């Protein structure tokens, strides 16, 4: 951690901010909620825009762009490690107690007898296939450290093995949901008011876990962020500090046969829905995209009309999604990767990319 | 922003109710999902603080409803339009987390159990509040053992103390000369008087012991120099025990009070239904961080309101207030940012 912030050269590359919630985090998923009608509010992991808003508050103005959030684990005061959502093409056994992890593969041709209209936008795209030796499988969820993701992106995670294990990939799931109830109380009678009982869920990170995001300051001499800042709803606060030791997994040195794996770090909101914006000539060979998430944003305003005008909901590709791409040549793939690795792809609406939506990493696929 | 560290010391059992039943327990208390430690949610605490302001007439006479509404936010029914709260309150109230839990013991009736987790969180709160304190080192005992500041709790290797439902071997981080002599010959029986005499009685200086230092800090800052709490402040210095996480997990689950209550049919006095409630026991110590945002014109008035409301007062938190539950002593540790 640096009390004074990185140098000007490092600043151009972006600074890593660590966000430590003081208590729980409450970020609404956008569904309408009124106590007494639909009396349950659901919470989600903080959106990139939630982090961008907190950073803007901490910096005293909007940064040029935000990339994140991810999670960081801090086992010691001077050591933090970045964790990423598990890639969607990793699966595990559905049998209790089994901890094997397998990787889906891209078939040479689409399976027979499967009819889908998904191929209208990407005619050559094929669904990934579960290996034959891993019949009873289910999606693997959780977080893996940057070293494991780096190995995955480099294509060396499994080596010559058919499978690995949740212990080997250091799978963690430090995001816990805490259900809370609230009630409207009549101050005079000191009793609960009729129809004003509601239920919400809050996120509680396990001890020594924090959120983190990289941001590019608006100017080189911008001072480090200063907390506490509001983070999510319900008046919750978070501390913010810089950590110059954090880093993204590196870009691979080469992309044999022009094959590139695109890993989605933060929810992507793209013009073609589930298909990322790609250069002409790049073929989408296959994809593993879990259920879409609904991203809702709004800005605090003084009036209901302004509030309505500022809020929006989008379908987004979830973090952890994986795309298998084929570029015309290894060289074009390398150029593209060096341009977009740890950056946000072009969004469906302006400013969603600088708010942190659609950040991707690149790797290779076998 | 002005940050405050708020200590709460339970005068009577506290029932801050959770969202649903927990097994055979109908009305459990609020707990953290990650650790199982009892907690009082910020939303519950904020509601209690607002009610306290009203009960004391702070919204009528001394400060007026505008000031109270600025600090706590306007009541939900005052918004002109749905979906928008026209003004958020300036006071942000965090969760009140467990600092120390009273547990039954076979000597001195009870002691306070805490853990490295609880003390680390308290240390973090001091950092958030930017309270200018040099905090003691945080003891980290092994999972099933503990550290004590007073030698009366410390025994030889296989000598264990009853702590709630657990048997725990306690060590001292700064062994006294007397203890060193005893350890030379563990088979030598200690006289009863010797066992019961405290380090203070023996004239030992325990000020270098981190456990004693934490006890002293809590006695000063959580209980303060209040006559009614003086015996407990004095006891807290001697009887704070830092236990390992395995022990603490049992204590936070089994060290709370479970009370079976009965609802009667008013006319016949027959039992209509039985239900069980859980309470944080009296003498529990909790801490929360409050943050007061500054107002362009009226910050000073807001600060005075918060101080008057919370400095050295008794609050009502949680449910069952008509049967005497939920009384807590509050104490503020203030720092400017």
């Amino acid at each position: 951690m640096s009390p004074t912030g990185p140098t000007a050269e490092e600043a151009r590359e972006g600074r890593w901010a660590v966000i430590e919630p003081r208590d729980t985090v409450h970020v609404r998923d956008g569904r309408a909620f009124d106590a007494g009608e639909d009396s349950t509010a659901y919470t989600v992991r903080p959106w990139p825009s939630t982090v961008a808003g907190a950073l803007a508050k901490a910096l005293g103005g909007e940064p040029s762009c935000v990339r994140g959030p991810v999670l960081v684990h801090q086992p010691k005061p001077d050591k933090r490690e970045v964790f990423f959502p598990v890639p969607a093409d990793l699966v595990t056994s559905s049998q209790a107690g089994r901890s094997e992890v397998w990787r889906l593969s891209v078939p040479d041709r689409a399976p027979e007898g499967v009819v889908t209209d998904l191929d209208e936008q990407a005619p050559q795209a094929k669904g990934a296939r579960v290996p034959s030796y891993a019949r009873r499988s289910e999606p693997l969820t959780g977080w893996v450290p940057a070293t494991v993701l780096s190995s995955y992106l480099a294509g060396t995670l499994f080596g010559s093995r058919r499978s690995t294990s949740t212990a080997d990939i250091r799978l963690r799931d430090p995001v816990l949901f805490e259900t809370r109830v609230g009630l409207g109380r009549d101050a005079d009678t000191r009793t609960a008011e009729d129809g004003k009982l509601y239920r919400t869920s809050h996120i509680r990170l396990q001890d020594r876990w924090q959120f983190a995001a990289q941001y590019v300051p608006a100017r080189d001499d911008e001072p480090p962020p200063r907390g506490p800042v509001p983070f999510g709803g319900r008046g919750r606060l978070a501390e913010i500090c810089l950590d110059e030791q954090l880093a993204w997994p590196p870009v691979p040195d080469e992309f044999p046969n022009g094959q590139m794996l695109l890993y989605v770090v933060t929810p992507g909101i793209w013009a073609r829905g589930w298909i990322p914006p790609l250069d002409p000539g790049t073929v989408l060979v296959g994809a593993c995209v879990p259920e879409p998430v609904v991203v809702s944003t709004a800005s605090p305003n003084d009036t209901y009309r302004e509030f309505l005008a500022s809020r929006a909901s989008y379908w987004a590709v979830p973090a952890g999604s994986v795309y298998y791409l084929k570029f015309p040549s290894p060289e074009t793939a390398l150029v593209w990767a060096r341009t977009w690795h740890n950056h946000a792809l072009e969004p469906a609406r302006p400013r969603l990319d600088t708010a942190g939506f659609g950040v991707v990493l690149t790797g290779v696929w076998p | 922003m002005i940050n405050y560290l708020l200590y709460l010391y339970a005068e009577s059992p506290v029932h801050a109710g959770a969202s649903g039943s927990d097994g055979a327990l109908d009305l459990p208390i609020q707990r953290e999902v990650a650790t199982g430690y009892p907690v009082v949610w910020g939303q519950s605490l904020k509601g209690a603080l607002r009610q306290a302001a009203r009960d004391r007439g702070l919204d009528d006479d001394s400060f007026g409803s505008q000031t109270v509404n600025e600090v706590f936010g306007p009541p939900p029914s005052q918004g002109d339009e749905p979906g928008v709260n026209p003004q958020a309150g300036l006071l942000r109230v965090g969760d009140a987390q467990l600092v120390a839990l009273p547990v039954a013991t076979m000597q001195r009736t009870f002691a306070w159990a805490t853990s490295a987790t609880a003390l680390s969180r308290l240390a973090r709160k001091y950092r958030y509040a930017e309270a200018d304190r040099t905090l003691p080192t945080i003891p980290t005992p092994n999972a099933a053992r503990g550290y004590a500041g007073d030698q009366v709790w410390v025994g030889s290797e296989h000598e264990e103390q009853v702590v709630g439902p657990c048997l725990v071997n306690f060590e001292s981080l700064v062994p006294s000369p007397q203890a060193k002599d005893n350890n030379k010959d563990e088979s030598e029986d200690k006289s009863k008087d010797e066992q019961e005499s405290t380090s203070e009685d023996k004239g030992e200086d325990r000020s270098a012991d981190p456990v004693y230092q934490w006890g002293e800090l809590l006695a000063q800052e959580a209980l303060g120099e209040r006559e009614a709490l003086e015996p407990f402040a004095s006891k807290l210095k001697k009887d704070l025990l830092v236990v390992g996480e395995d022990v603490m997990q049992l204590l936070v689950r089994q060290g709370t009070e479970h009370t079976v209550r009965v609802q009667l049919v008013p006319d016949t006095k027959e039992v209509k239904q039985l239900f069980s409630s859980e309470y944080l026991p009296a003498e529990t110590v909790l801490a929360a961080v409050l943050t007061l945002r500054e107002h362009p014109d009226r910050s000073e008035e807001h600060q005075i309101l918060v101080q008057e409301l919370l400095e050295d007062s008794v609050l009502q938190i949680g449910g069952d207030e008509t049967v005497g539950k939920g009384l807590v002593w509050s104490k503020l540790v203030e720092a400017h940012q």
Side-chain angles (χ1 to χ4, degrees):
Chain A
M1 283 175 282
S2 165
T4 56
T7 64
E9 188 177 345
E10 289 167 334
R12 282 193 290 275
E13 292 299 317
R15 301 174 179 179
W16 280 92
V18 175
I19 300 158
E20 180 182 37
R22 284 187 176 180
D23 296 305
T24 55
V25 179
H26 182 61
V27 179
R28 292 272 307 281
D29 71 345
R31 270 174 273 191
F33 163 69
D34 283 305
E37 294 176 16
D38 180 6
S39 60
T40 302
Y42 300 92
T43 199
V44 293
R45 288 207 307 266
W47 301 123
S49 51
T50 313
V51 174
L55 268 170
K57 188 82 176 172
L59 294 167
E62 288 187 8
S64 295
C65 77
V66 176
R67 299 163 191 154
V70 292
L71 291 181
V72 288
H73 184 219
Q74 187 177 20
K76 296 176 184 173
D78 58 348
K79 183 186 176 189
R80 286 194 180 94
E81 189 175 18
V82 183
F83 274 67
F84 294 89
V86 169
D89 62 352
L90 297 186
V91 296
T92 189
S93 170
S94 58
Q95 291 176 287
R98 299 285 296 275
S99 60
E100 277 181 292
V101 175
W102 301 286
R103 185 172 184 177
L104 305 185
S105 60
V106 184
D108 296 333
R109 54 191 172 81
E112 293 178 5
V114 177
V115 178
T116 175
D117 59 0
L118 288 176
D119 55 1
E120 288 178 1
Q121 292 191 74
Q124 299 184 55
K126 294 180 283 292
R129 188 175 58 190
V130 179
S132 57
Y133 45 82
R135 286 182 186 166
R136 298 178 63 184
S137 64
E138 61 183 23
L140 184 65
T141 56
W143 298 75
V144 291
T147 49
V148 170
L149 188 73
S150 298
S151 175
Y152 165 85
L153 293 172
T156 59
L157 181 62
F158 286 80
S160 57
R161 296 171 298 171
R162 281 179 161 190
S163 68
T164 180
S165 70
T166 51
D168 285 344
I169 63 171
R170 295 171 57 206
L171 183 75
R172 304 291 295 272
D173 196 2
V175 182
L176 303 169
F177 289 88
E178 193 168 292
T179 304
R180 297 186 169 197
V181 290
L183 50 83
R185 194 165 180 268
D186 187 307
D188 294 321
T189 65
R190 306 177 80 91
T191 56
E193 291 187 57
D194 283 345
K196 288 199 174 173
L197 180 69
Y198 63 93
R199 182 188 296 262
T200 63
S201 61
H202 290 219
I203 283 176
R204 187 182 285 283
L205 294 184
Q206 288 180 347
D207 275 355
R208 300 194 176 93
W209 286 83
Q210 298 132 359
F211 296 102
Q214 191 186 41
Y215 73 96
V216 177
R219 56 180 203 277
D220 283 349
D221 61 346
E222 192 164 82
R226 191 161 179 269
V229 289
F231 192 58
R234 309 291 295 178
R236 299 274 145 173
L237 293 173
E239 304 293 325
I240 290 192
C241 66
L242 292 178
D243 190 336
E244 59 189 24
Q245 296 175 14
L246 303 181
W248 297 103
V251 189
D253 294 329
E254 56 180 359
F255 295 89
N257 303 321
Q259 294 183 175
M260 178 192 291
L261 181 139
L262 192 67
Y263 166 83
V264 180
V265 180
T266 59
I269 302 168
W270 296 316
R272 297 173 68 196
W274 67 277
I275 299 177
L278 300 170
D279 291 343
T282 304
V283 177
L284 178 57
V285 179
C288 289
V289 181
E291 283 185 36
V293 292
V294 180
V295 173
S296 297
T297 62
S299 299
N301 285 294
D302 293 333
T303 68
Y304 189 47
R305 188 176 299 279
E306 288 176 21
F307 170 76
L308 287 178
S310 73
R311 65 179 185 170
S313 286
Y314 307 94
W315 287 110
V317 172
S321 297
V322 170
Y323 296 89
Y324 308 99
L325 309 178
K326 182 95 166 61
F327 281 74
S329 70
E331 292 75 24
T332 51
L334 188 59
V335 170
W336 197 90
R338 285 179 175 165
T339 304
W340 293 107
H341 188 88
N342 74 41
H343 284 63
L345 299 182
E346 188 181 349
R349 299 279 186 280
R351 286 167 53 85
L352 288 174
D353 52 347
T354 54
F357 289 101
V359 174
V360 296
L361 296 175
T362 57
V364 298
W365 55 278
Chain B
M1 283 186 185
I2 300 154
N3 289 297
Y4 303 89
L5 176 61
L6 174 67
Y7 276 110
L8 301 171
Y9 184 78
E11 169 69 20
S12 65
V14 178
H15 177 80
S19 59
S21 62
D22 182 9
L25 188 60
D26 297 308
L27 300 171
I29 57 172
Q30 297 164 3
R31 290 180 182 275
E32 295 173 7
V33 66
T35 60
Y37 279 32
V39 66
V40 177
W41 299 334
Q43 68 204 64
S44 304
L45 184 55
K46 187 179 176 190
L49 300 186
R50 187 189 186 94
Q51 182 71 45
R54 181 186 168 89
D55 291 347
R56 289 194 206 161
L58 300 183
D59 56 350
D60 292 332
D61 307 327
S62 42
F63 291 93
S65 60
Q66 183 193 342
T67 306
V68 172
N69 284 346
E70 282 170 355
V71 171
F72 291 103
S77 58
Q78 287 191 355
D80 294 326
E81 294 167 321
V84 170
N85 193 338
Q87 179 204 327
L90 297 171
L91 185 67
R92 295 171 185 271
V93 181
D95 290 350
Q97 292 180 308
L98 181 71
V99 175
L101 183 76
V103 286
T105 54
M106 289 293 280
Q107 58 179 353
R108 295 182 175 176
T109 310
F110 77 94
W112 283 270
T114 187
S115 66
T117 297
L119 292 179
S120 300
R121 290 168 160 194
L122 182 62
R124 214 157 57 197
K125 287 185 173 59
Y126 270 98
R127 179 163 61 84
Y128 294 155
E130 296 197 347
D132 185 20
R133 304 283 189 282
T134 302
L135 296 176
T137 311
I138 295 170
T140 51
N142 289 336
R145 300 173 74 103
Y147 289 122
D150 195 302
Q151 292 297 320
V152 78
W153 299 102
V154 177
S156 56
E157 177 61 29
H158 301 294
E159 194 176 342
E160 294 169 321
Q161 295 283 344
V162 173
V163 180
C166 306
L167 287 172
V168 184
N169 177 266
F170 286 98
E171 298 171 73
S172 175
L173 285 165
V174 183
S176 69
Q178 180 73 40
K180 285 177 186 169
D181 292 342
N182 287 344
N183 287 339
K184 284 179 186 170
D185 184 5
E186 290 182 3
S187 61
E188 186 180 331
D189 289 339
K190 286 187 279 185
S191 71
K192 190 169 187 301
D193 288 347
E194 193 180 324
Q195 284 178 341
E196 292 183 353
S197 59
T198 67
S199 298
E200 216 167 52
D201 296 339
K202 294 174 188 169
E204 293 172 5
D205 179 11
R206 305 302 302 157
S207 59
D209 189 309
V211 182
Y212 182 85
Q213 290 171 348
W214 277 109
E216 197 169 36
L217 178 88
L218 292 177
Q220 286 172 0
E221 306 223 319
L223 281 71
E225 294 175 353
R226 291 181 277 202
E227 194 177 347
L229 297 178
E230 197 286 323
F232 296 92
S234 180
K235 179 177 172 60
L236 186 52
K237 290 181 195 172
K238 297 179 288 189
D239 295 341
L240 182 71
L241 307 173
V242 182
V243 298
E245 278 307 324
D246 285 3
V247 178
M248 196 64 180
Q249 279 300 316
L250 277 171
L251 296 181
V252 296
R253 285 286 171 191
Q254 299 186 27
T256 55
E257 292 183 14
H258 290 202
T259 305
V260 177
R261 298 173 62 193
V262 180
Q263 186 181 20
L264 300 178
V265 178
D267 296 332
T268 63
K269 305 298 183 193
E270 291 172 323
V271 174
K272 185 178 179 183
Q273 65 172 350
L274 288 169
F275 61 96
S276 54
S277 292
E278 185 182 23
Y279 298 92
L280 266 179
E283 324 303 339
T284 299
V285 185
L286 301 159
V289 175
L290 313 184
T291 303
L292 183 65
R293 283 190 292 139
E294 290 184 45
H295 188 279
D297 311 317
R298 294 154 50 75
S299 271
E300 196 173 338
E301 198 171 356
H302 297 151
Q303 289 172 47
I304 295 170
L305 186 149
V306 171
Q307 284 159 357
E308 187 163 329
L309 184 64
L310 296 173
E311 183 59 60
D312 201 11
S313 56
V314 179
L315 304 170
Q316 171 72 52
I317 289 178
D320 293 343
E321 66 173 275
T322 58
V323 288
K325 310 300 185 188
L327 292 174
V328 295
W329 296 82
S330 68
K331 187 87 169 52
L332 273 185
V333 179
E334 181 186 351
H336 288 265
Q337 194 173 55

